[in-house]
Every structure is written in structure tokens, then in C-alpha cells.
Amino acid sequence: MSAVGVYYDLCQRLMGPWRTRMLSGAELCEVGRIVYGRPEGFSLYGVGAPAMEAAGIRILGRTAAECCVDTMSLDVAHAVADLHLHRDGGDEPLVAELFCGSGNLGVHLGRVLGLPVYAADLDPLIYRATRHNLHSVGAPTRLQLIDYRELLPELTPRGPADTYIIEPPWGPAISPLGLDLLGTSPPVPEILADILRARDGRPCLVGIKTIDRIRHDSLNVAFAGAHHLRTITGEPPFPDASRMQFHFYRLGPGT
Ligand SMILES: C[S@@+](CC[C@H](N)C(=O)[O-])C[C@H]1O[C@@H](n2cnc3c(N)ncnc32)[C@H](O)[C@@H]1O
């Protein structure tokens, strides 16, 4: 089987039969080798795959496929810190990871920004594993087993640097042809509307993870009316030559 075939086969196992199963140390290393080129390339909370089992880190198959690993999470955290530099004083910004999965983005955001991150995931299995992992690594993330739509009204807006990280499940929105942000669950425009509604329209920052193969111009369509701030691209590419990307936008009036 080609490297791309092996990669797609692993993704299918992670999102299929292994979806709700805790991965063994050997399986975590296999993810590292196949997806990131070496076992250590699969690293979460600062712990590489070869050390995860001994460190008691619990990763479900689904989370292994969906997560944002340390290198990209650290880049995201530094990008947000840089965007916050340009705010006009005021209160400490609110930072929320609305679809947290592993919670790894929140861990790095919290460490780099020096503030607690609010996080939601509505899957009880993922919530339990992530709560355990966050406790193991001493992350002060305020994690809740909750739908992001219920978390949003609990988060009192503080100012225009408030930052929401969104990464809804891709499901059938992802195919070898690319990612359709209008087909995620829920669709990205709906999430953006929910955020703005919870803030009574007040401006904020939004970060979103994609790959660099976007279908139907759906990133531009979803963020029509928002102001693009920057895009960061992950290295190395995945075995199918797609690359992970993170885009930051200013949302709301005056953008
Ligand atoms: C693509 S994953 C996020 C991966 C995460 N960024 C990481 O680094 O591990 C999407 C997550 O959102 C959760 N989820 C799906 N719908 C949700 C909702 N309505 N509210 C909160 N979490 C949700 C899923 O359980 C899943 O863990």
C-alpha cells in the first residue's frame, strides 16, 4: 500500500472501529509514524507518543485523528499572544476553545497567555479522557461537558480581544478533495452567528483550524464580512500532501 493509502487506512480506523477506544502506547506511536513521519511527531501536552502511555495520557482513536498537536498548538498560542499585543489595554481577554477535544490548544494558549482557558466538549468519553489528561499535566483549563451553545452565554464578553477557537467535527465535510466549512457539524457560519449573538454583536477574534484544501471557497463564504488577520500553516505536510492551517479573523462590526 502507498504511504497515502496507509495514512487514509489509519484515519479510517481512528474515526471508525478505534473511535471510542483508548489507544495503546504502540498505537499512539503508529499514529506518530504514519501521520507525522516519526513517533515523537505525535505529541500532545508536551508529551511525545513514546512517553504517553507511561505518563498516563489517555487518547481515544477519534481524538488522535482530530487533534492539534504540540507544534501547531504552540504556533497558534504565539499567534494569539501577538494579536493580543495590539489590543487597547482593558480587561484580560476571554479565551475559549469551543470544541476542545484533547484540549491541547487550550493548554498551550493558557501557558503562553498566562490565563485560564474556557473549554467545552459534549462527548462524555472525550470529556473524561481530557479531564484526566489536563489534570495529569496540571493545566488550569476550565473544562466543561457541555454543548458550546450552552457555554457561550456563560462567558461574559470582556473586550474586542476576546478569542474563540473553533474546530467543529468535519465528518463528511472532509474528503480527499478537501474541506467544506459549510458542511461541518454544525456549519461554520452557524457557529459564528452563535458567537456574535452571545456577545450582542460585539467584536472579537476567532481562530479556526482547516487544511489548505478548501472546497467551494467555503472559508471565504463562511467568514464573509469578517476581517482576515493571519493564517499559519503547519509543517510537515500530511502524507496526502495537505497541510494543516489555522486562520484568524476579526468578527463583528467595524471589521
Ligand atoms: C475536531 S474535534 C476538536 C479537536 C481539538 N481541537 C483537539 O486539538 O483535540 C471536535 C470536538 O468537538 C466536540 N463537539 C462536537 N460538537 C460539539 C458541540 N456542539 N459542543 C461542544 N463540543 C462539541 C467533539 O466531541 C470533538 O471532541
Side-chain angles (χ1 to χ4, degrees):
M1 207 189 288
S2 67
V4 179
V6 169
Y7 169 59
Y8 285 150
D9 180 64
L10 174 67
C11 292
Q12 266 164 16
R13 263 180 292 155
L14 293 173
M15 294 305 283
W18 293 5
R19 184 178 177 88
T20 55
R21 189 164 67 67
M22 215 66 79
L23 300 187
S24 68
E27 289 163 345
L28 293 164
C29 289
E30 187 186 355
V31 172
R33 258 193 313 277
I34 294 175
V35 182
Y36 302 97
R38 59 197 179 95
E40 300 76 13
F42 183 48
S43 177
L44 294 168
Y45 321 112
V47 183
M52 280 184 190
E53 195 168 35
I57 300 296
R58 299 179 186 168
I59 305 293
L60 299 175
R62 172 187 180 176
T63 304
E66 294 184 326
C67 67
C68 197
V69 294
D70 284 335
T71 42
M72 189 60 160
S73 296
L74 205 52
D75 286 350
V76 167
H78 285 296
V80 172
D82 195 40
L83 293 170
H84 284 186
L85 277 183
H86 305 297
R87 73 194 163 102
D88 313 322
D91 287 346
E92 197 171 67
L94 169 78
V95 180
E97 198 187 354
L98 299 185
F99 301 82
C100 81
S102 68
N104 195 39
L105 282 158
V107 167
H108 289 282
L109 283 161
R111 284 180 185 159
V112 169
L113 302 173
L115 41 85
V117 171
Y118 295 84
D121 202 291
L122 55 49
D123 182 315
L125 286 178
I126 294 180
Y127 166 78
R128 278 202 292 278
T130 297
R131 187 183 56 177
H132 165 88
N133 293 339
L134 296 179
H135 184 260
S136 301
V137 300
T141 305
R142 304 199 176 156
L143 172 67
Q144 291 190 62
L145 174 61
I146 195 171
D147 188 300
Y148 82 94
R149 283 164 281 225
E150 292 168 52
L151 177 66
L152 281 173
E154 291 183 12
L155 305 175
T156 308
R158 300 178 188 168
D162 291 348
T163 304
Y164 300 82
I165 302 295
I166 62 172
E167 198 201 332
W170 292 348
I174 182 81
S175 76
L177 296 175
L179 173 64
D180 179 359
L181 295 161
L182 308 181
T184 57
S185 173
V188 171
E190 200 174 305
I191 303 167
L192 300 180
D194 289 334
I195 293 172
L196 274 179
R197 196 175 313 113
R199 301 178 57 78
D200 289 329
R202 277 170 279 193
C204 63
L205 304 177
V206 171
I208 181 168
K209 186 179 110 177
T210 71
I211 52 167
D212 59 356
R213 269 181 219 157
I214 303 283
R215 298 196 75 190
H216 312 310
D217 199 29
S218 56
L219 184 63
N220 288 328
V221 172
F223 283 89
H227 176 66
H228 177 253
L229 297 169
R230 70 177 69 176
T231 290
I232 53 182
T233 302
E235 289 289 345
F238 293 120
D240 65 354
S242 66
R243 288 167 200 270
M244 187 183 285
Q245 290 196 314
F246 233 96
H247 313 271
F248 293 92
Y249 291 86
R250 175 164 299 289
L251 204 64
T255 55

